[in-house]
């Protein structure tokens, strides 16, 4: 028997229980690729999220924030966006809000990702403005995602994978020296003017000599 629960704005979520992997795959196939809804499957639980304005704003601005940091620090990046990350051996699959290769960019540059051969993304971002029944810490830890950002519209939590479990940290391992205050300021300024917020962030990074400070080896 399949049970469903519908949740409300600012993200609309529908949750299905007691679904096996085959039914999950059929639902993905039926929904197709040209959709805004995002899907996460975790060992029998299928969650479909229909993001609305507040969610999409946060997702886009966080993506812009990460890209600016990568550029100003002289790093490299391969963006997967909400590409489906399927791990049938784990009975888990996810379409995160954003995911990236940064440390391992050189290993996947110019390639179509094959998760049976290629490393998992280095950084996954989720914007969760409403309750979710999926334990995303367990989900992404099982996929061996080395860094996970979670934003609820007010607070950014950063997790680093250590001994197959996530540990909350205050500073991103990917972007050392970048404090959360810089992120919060950028989010607030972007609500008023995204272009000016980007200009100010780039100027501040250069002024504070954050650029090219990363310890990541390319």
């Amino acid at each position: 028997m399949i049970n469903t629960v519908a949740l409300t704005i600012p993200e609309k979520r529908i949750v299905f229980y007691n679904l096996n992997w085959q039914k999950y795959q059929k639902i993905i196939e039926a929904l197709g690729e040209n959709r805004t809804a995002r899907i996460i499957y975790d060992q029998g639980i299928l969650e479909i999220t229909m993001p609305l304005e507040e969610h999409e704003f946060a997702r886009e601005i966080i993506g812009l924030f990460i890209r600016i940091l990568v550029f100003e620090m002289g790093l490299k990046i391969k963006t997967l966006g909400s590409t489906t990350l399927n791990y049938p051996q784990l009975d888990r699959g996810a379409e995160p809000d954003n995911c990236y290769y940064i440390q391992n960019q050189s290993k996947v540059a110019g390639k179509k990702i094959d998760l049976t051969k290629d490393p998992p993304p280095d950084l996954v971002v989720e914007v969760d403005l409403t309750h979710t029944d999926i334990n995303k810490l367990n989900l992404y830890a099982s996929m061996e995602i080395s860094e996970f950002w979670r934003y609820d519209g007010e607070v950014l939590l950063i997790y680093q994978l250590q001994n197959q479990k996530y540990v909350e940290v205050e500073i991103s391992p990917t972007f050392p020296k970048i404090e959360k205050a810089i992120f919060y300021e950028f989010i607030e300024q972007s609500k008023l003017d995204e272009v000016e917020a980007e200009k100010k962030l780039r100027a501040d990074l250069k002024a504070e000599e954050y650029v090219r400070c990363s310890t990541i080896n390319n």
Side-chain angles (χ1 to χ4, degrees):
M1 178 180 179
I2 298 174
N3 303 316
T4 66
V5 178
L7 301 175
T8 56
I9 58 173
E11 303 159 309
K12 293 184 178 179
R13 297 183 191 268
I14 299 175
V15 183
F16 298 86
Y17 298 93
N18 305 317
L19 279 180
N20 60 31
W21 183 265
Q22 290 72 28
K23 289 180 180 178
Y24 156 60
Q25 290 297 300
K26 286 181 179 179
I27 289 174
I28 286 184
E29 183 179 348
L31 291 174
E33 295 182 358
N34 297 322
R35 55 182 164 81
T36 57
R38 296 190 184 91
I39 293 175
I40 289 185
Y41 175 78
D42 184 14
Q43 299 180 331
I45 302 174
L46 177 69
E47 182 177 271
I48 302 175
T49 302
M50 286 72 74
L52 300 179
E53 179 183 346
E54 185 179 350
H55 178 285
E56 290 299 271
F57 169 79
R59 181 182 67 84
E60 290 288 339
I61 293 304
I62 294 172
L64 176 60
F65 180 74
I66 289 171
R67 184 163 291 275
I68 291 170
L69 294 184
V70 166
F71 179 84
E72 296 297 341
M73 292 180 176
L75 304 176
K76 297 186 185 229
I77 190 169
K78 181 179 178 71
T79 302
L80 294 189
S82 296
T83 297
T84 305
L85 307 176
N86 273 339
Y87 289 86
Q89 72 276 21
L90 300 173
D91 196 27
R92 284 169 163 154
E95 294 173 350
D97 285 306
N98 284 312
C99 62
Y100 309 91
Y101 286 94
I102 300 175
Q103 292 93 331
N104 285 313
Q105 187 273 348
S106 62
K107 296 180 181 179
V108 296
K111 296 176 58 178
K112 183 175 181 180
I113 302 300
D114 180 351
L115 292 172
T116 65
K117 301 176 182 177
D118 295 315
D122 299 306
L123 172 61
V124 158
V125 177
E126 287 278 8
V127 177
D128 286 324
L129 304 181
T130 55
H131 170 77
T132 171
D133 281 10
I134 302 290
N135 187 328
K136 293 185 179 178
L137 294 181
N138 287 345
L139 177 81
Y140 289 120
S142 73
M143 295 178 183
E144 299 183 347
I145 307 295
S146 58
E147 186 172 346
F148 175 42
W149 291 16
R150 194 170 195 175
Y151 180 63
D152 68 359
E154 296 182 358
V155 177
L156 173 69
L157 298 178
I158 299 173
Y159 298 93
Q160 182 181 19
L161 192 64
Q162 298 180 14
N163 298 319
Q164 300 181 320
K165 292 184 179 180
Y166 281 123
V167 175
E168 185 179 346
V169 295
E170 285 302 307
I171 301 293
S172 164
T174 304
F175 307 113
K177 299 187 180 180
I178 303 299
E179 298 180 355
K180 286 184 183 179
I182 297 172
F183 168 81
Y184 292 132
E185 182 179 10
F186 180 68
I187 286 278
E188 290 305 310
Q189 290 174 341
S190 294
K191 292 177 182 178
L192 301 176
D193 189 327
E194 294 174 31
V195 173
E196 288 302 317
E198 179 175 349
K199 288 179 181 177
K200 185 176 187 307
L201 176 59
R202 291 185 186 276
D204 288 348
L205 290 173
K206 289 183 175 68
E208 295 297 327
E209 297 183 350
Y210 287 122
V211 297
R212 301 185 186 279
C213 67
S214 176
T215 58
I216 297 171
N217 294 319
N218 296 309

